[in-house]
Amino acid sequence: MDENTKNGLLLEIQDLTIQYVTDSGTVHAVENLNLRLGRGETLGFVGETGAGKTTTALGIMRLIPSPPGVIQSGKIIFEGQNLLDKSEPEMRGIRGGKIAMIFQDPMTSLNPVMTVDKQIAEMIKLHKNVNEAESLKLAGDMLELVGIQRERMHDYPHQFSGGMKQRVVIAIALACDPGLLIADEPTTALDVTIQAQVLELMKKLKQQFDASMILITHDLGIVADICDKVAIMYAGRVVEYADKCALYSNPVHPYTIGLFNSVPDLDEDKEVLNTIPGLMPDPMDLPSGCTFHPRCTYAVDRCSQTKPEMIHVGDGHLAACPVLAKARG
Ligand code: SF4
């Protein structure tokens, strides 16, 4: 066991760069990404579509479609071992067994022609040394744990509502007691009332299973409710990283400030919502220097020339903006 594992660090991503190399150019999906996740922690990954959140998650799972995807450089150290050094058979043991992923649309994870108990049991048999009968018994237990009656274990996915399907997906994900759960916008496809129930369930089970979680979302309300730490991503980079409380009380990066300003205030009677001016840059043609500079109201001349490094602005709080780090740190 190395020093980091002993200290309670579960996952450390070092200088991860992932690209999609296509005939029309190279998509810079993730660039020099650094992150750390402690045991039992929940990290919120926040950013607009195309920021690199899902690509990072797929990179951790080693599920980047290749070609065109290429992990160009970096390390993904999980429980003290670099996942990028693992063979595909080794990764098959890690996926589902030690790291599980929940996707936005439950139907992409569920097999429509297999009853839900068999789908959960299949995952259990893959990672645990149990026979068919034991795996089906455990599958029933898992369904009950996520709030689905055991009598429904022989039903097919189409016989469940969207929220119930996502509960089945959660049951599959947790069936083998993984150390890390990655949830990619797990409630976006659900009705608002069901979203709250599913999030509450995930929060409860994460504690019960003592798992760490990466929650990918664009919803700062969900982050406030569930996460301990937050990484704000923009154009393939983490631009701010902090404890939830530090981030919400003192956002430093102009993009983070823009995200908070874009959240509608129910007490204010406004006809037009605040937005961040401009659009996310084309990942095949990223702006020079700070990639946020064309949209940034705080930009100075040097912003278009120098790529900002992450700067410490407080205890465990980093932001990639030298201009505001000094003023707000
Ligand atoms: Fe804005 Fe410059 Fe800071 Fe980038 S480095 S966020 S352009 S002020």
Side-chain angles (χ1 to χ4, degrees), residues 253-254 290 292-293 296 298-299 303 308 320-323:
H253 195 281
C290 173
F292 189 58
H293 84 258
C296 183
Y298 300 87
C303 294
C321 176
V323 177

Side-chain angles (χ1 to χ4, degrees), residues 18-245:
I18 304 175
Q19 297 176 341
Y20 295 99
V21 182
T22 70
D23 289 343
S24 33
T26 299
V27 175
H28 301 274
V30 174
E31 282 211 327
N32 300 108
L33 185 127
N34 290 287
L35 271 182
R36 289 156 77 91
L37 179 70
R39 288 178 189 274
E41 264 181 7
T42 298
L43 171 71
F45 247 25
V46 182
E48 292 165 88
T49 304
K53 310 181 300 286
T54 299
T55 298
T56 305
L58 292 175
I60 297 169
M61 297 290 280
R62 288 267 310 276
L63 287 174
I64 298 282
S66 175
V70 189
I71 297 182
Q72 290 289 8
S73 59
K75 288 183 180 173
I76 300 172
I77 300 168
F78 176 75
E79 292 185 332
Q81 297 189 359
N82 186 4
L83 295 182
L84 300 185
D85 291 338
K86 298 279 173 200
S87 65
E88 187 45 37
E90 285 174 320
M91 277 312 297
R92 275 200 288 274
I94 290 170
R95 276 184 222 119
K98 292 185 167 218
I99 307 176
M101 190 156 173
I102 298 172
F103 293 93
Q104 186 178 117
D105 177 2
M107 283 319 283
T108 56
S109 313
L110 296 175
N111 182 340
V113 294
M114 198 188 245
T115 56
V116 295
D117 59 336
K118 292 222 166 101
Q119 297 191 45
I120 303 171
E122 211 171 57
M123 177 63 83
I124 294 170
K125 277 189 293 178
L126 209 58
H127 298 286
K128 289 186 177 170
N129 191 17
V130 291
N131 63 28
E132 179 78 16
E134 284 165 330
S135 67
L136 286 169
K137 148 103 186 37
L138 289 170
D141 294 346
M142 283 309 298
L143 280 175
E144 284 190 333
L145 203 64
V146 298
I148 296 176
Q149 291 167 339
R150 198 173 272 269
E151 298 84 74
R152 298 209 55 191
M153 63 194 275
H154 304 309
D155 285 358
Y156 289 90
H158 74 267
Q159 293 172 280
F160 292 97
S161 65
M164 298 274 266
K165 281 195 235 1
Q166 200 58 308
R167 284 173 188 261
V168 174
V169 172
I170 294 169
I172 295 173
L174 291 174
C176 296
D177 198 4
L180 174 60
L181 189 62
I182 303 175
D184 188 358
E185 306 263 11
T187 57
T188 307
L190 306 176
D191 292 344
V192 178
T193 47
I194 308 297
Q195 278 185 13
Q197 291 171 13
V198 170
L199 283 170
E200 209 43 54
L201 175 72
M202 287 179 60
K203 203 157 97 178
K204 187 183 105 191
L205 292 178
K206 188 214 142 252
Q207 264 164 1
Q208 197 170 326
F209 281 73
D210 198 21
S212 302
M213 180 156 77
I214 293 177
L215 179 67
I216 297 174
T217 181
H218 55 266
D219 188 330
L220 286 163
I222 291 177
V223 172
D225 189 24
I226 292 197
C227 298
D228 308 303
K229 302 258 171 71
V230 193
I232 306 287
M233 283 196 78
Y234 184 78
R237 287 175 169 257
V238 173
V239 294
E240 188 157 5
Y241 172 84
D243 277 356
K244 172 178 68 185
C245 295

